[in-house]
Amino acid sequence: MLSLVLPKGSLEKATLELFDAADLTVLRTSDRDYHASIDDPKIDRVSILRPQEIPTYIERGLFDLGITGRDLITEAGADVVSLGELQYSKMTSNPARIVLAVPHEAPWQAVSDLPDGIRISTEYPELTRRFLEENGVKAVVIRSFGATEAKVPDIVDAIVDLTETGSSLRRNGLKILATLLVSYTELVACQDSYTDPERRAAMEDIALLLRGAIQARRNVLVKLNVAASELAAVTSILPAMASPTITSLARGDMHAVEAVVPKRGVNTLIPALRAAGAQDILELPISKIIE
């Protein structure tokens, strides 16, 4: 029913791991294979291609559905339907940013300080030109094909580049002057395909599974037993998504409690539960959370 395109390169591993967690495991004969399959009746063709190409391919209807970055969609000016952000990436769950960076020793403190004729290297020439025009900066924009940070100051005066943590920029003696775009990875669809009710329903099902897998990564299931006399103290410190599930055990004065809680902070939660009277505490991973 659907043709799907996934990104090759730096985002490839994280994307395949996400699809596996969503029970949409991508099958291929080798890591270098551009063609793959998914054992799901909603998906009949899978390709793995350069992420820069994906927005244009989807806009033209060569694929129904795909994963790419908002930065690449904006750079290409592609008219696609977004089925929502997928907050995962190759390093962290933080969004990537397209930033304008200059040497630490440069005198410029704002975009308006940049002189006419400044040389800027970037893998996002169209996005950069639009940004500079909006800010009244006349610059020489030079397309980069990688290692952009290394071109300052010998080849160019500044760069516009993608950063997730900013650590690489700092290592190369650069400071961020402005953020052009905040970019998450997105699940996007072809306009024509999305207007078809059957294909749209299939797309929404895939989006649901992917979001559920991402949500599950941030949470764990905590199960415990507790005496009735200490039940209130234990449940009061459980940061559950909703009210915890409480079940009376065969032994009348004992209850079983379970709750979905954020994984971050569980290292302090479990000792606190134990101190409040919880017994037989289990922490279990979750595959998907569908809200």
Side-chain angles (χ1 to χ4, degrees):
M1 181 187 296
L2 296 178
S3 55
L4 172 69
V5 58
L6 303 177
K8 193 163 186 66
S10 61
L11 200 58
E12 182 177 354
K13 184 175 183 290
T15 301
L16 297 180
E17 288 174 350
L18 172 62
F19 271 71
D20 187 53
D23 295 316
L24 296 168
T25 301
V26 178
L27 306 171
R28 54 180 176 167
T29 57
S30 76
D31 293 345
R32 297 184 178 182
D33 198 343
Y34 290 92
H35 303 289
S37 63
I38 293 176
D39 185 16
D40 189 294
K42 296 183 289 295
I43 303 170
D44 55 23
R45 180 165 66 96
V46 181
S47 294
I48 302 174
L49 301 172
R50 287 174 57 84
Q52 295 89 338
E53 302 169 344
I54 290 175
T56 301
Y57 289 160
I58 292 176
E59 180 185 36
R60 294 177 180 176
L62 299 177
F63 295 93
D64 299 305
L65 191 66
I67 286 182
T68 189
R70 174 51 52 179
D71 57 325
L72 300 175
I73 298 168
T74 304
E75 172 66 17
D79 185 16
V80 295
V81 177
S82 177
L83 276 72
E85 297 174 346
L86 298 176
Q87 295 186 15
Y88 79 102
S89 66
K90 59 183 180 296
M91 291 179 62
T92 71
S93 60
N94 297 326
R97 294 179 294 150
I98 305 298
V99 300
L100 171 64
V102 300
H104 273 296
E105 63 274 12
W108 315 308
Q109 300 300 318
V111 176
S112 57
D113 297 334
L114 297 177
D116 287 349
I118 186 173
R119 300 165 301 165
I120 301 177
S121 178
T122 181
E123 294 184 36
Y124 302 91
E126 296 305 318
L127 191 158
T128 300
R129 288 190 185 100
R130 290 194 293 267
F131 174 79
L132 295 173
E133 287 173 7
E134 291 169 2
N135 286 273
V137 177
K138 297 178 181 179
V140 178
V141 178
I142 303 168
R143 187 179 187 98
S144 173
F145 293 91
T148 307
E149 297 128 319
K151 296 169 184 173
V152 181
D154 296 333
I155 299 174
V156 295
D157 307 303
I159 64 169
V160 169
D161 205 8
L162 182 73
T163 184
E164 197 168 328
T165 65
S167 59
S168 181
L169 295 174
R170 290 189 293 271
R171 282 197 306 270
N172 284 274
L174 299 170
K175 63 181 180 181
I176 295 173
L177 212 60
T179 297
L180 285 66
L181 179 73
V182 176
S183 175
Y184 276 110
T185 305
E186 292 186 37
L187 183 67
V188 297
C190 170
Q191 292 274 5
D192 289 343
S193 300
Y194 194 69
T195 59
D196 178 83
E198 188 176 5
R199 289 188 180 185
R200 180 172 180 171
M203 293 176 185
E204 296 291 354
D205 286 348
I206 293 168
L208 180 73
L209 293 173
L210 294 174
R211 287 194 298 268
I214 292 171
Q215 178 74 351
R217 290 178 173 180
R218 307 186 188 117
N219 296 275
V220 294
L221 178 65
V222 170
K223 303 180 72 170
L224 57 90
N225 294 331
V226 61
S229 60
E230 293 159 330
L231 179 62
V234 166
T235 56
S236 68
I237 60 175
L238 274 174
M241 292 178 63
S243 297
T245 300
I246 302 173
T247 307
S248 295
L249 299 181
R251 181 178 155 194
D253 64 340
M254 294 294 292
H255 293 83
V257 178
E258 62 179 59
V260 175
V261 303
K263 186 171 181 61
R264 185 174 184 178
V266 77
N267 58 309
T268 57
L269 174 64
I270 289 177
L273 291 170
R274 184 69 181 86
Q279 306 171 28
D280 308 323
I281 303 171
L282 299 178
E283 177 193 337
L284 303 173
I286 301 171
S287 297
K288 279 184 283 297
I289 295 176
I290 308 299
E291 296 181 301

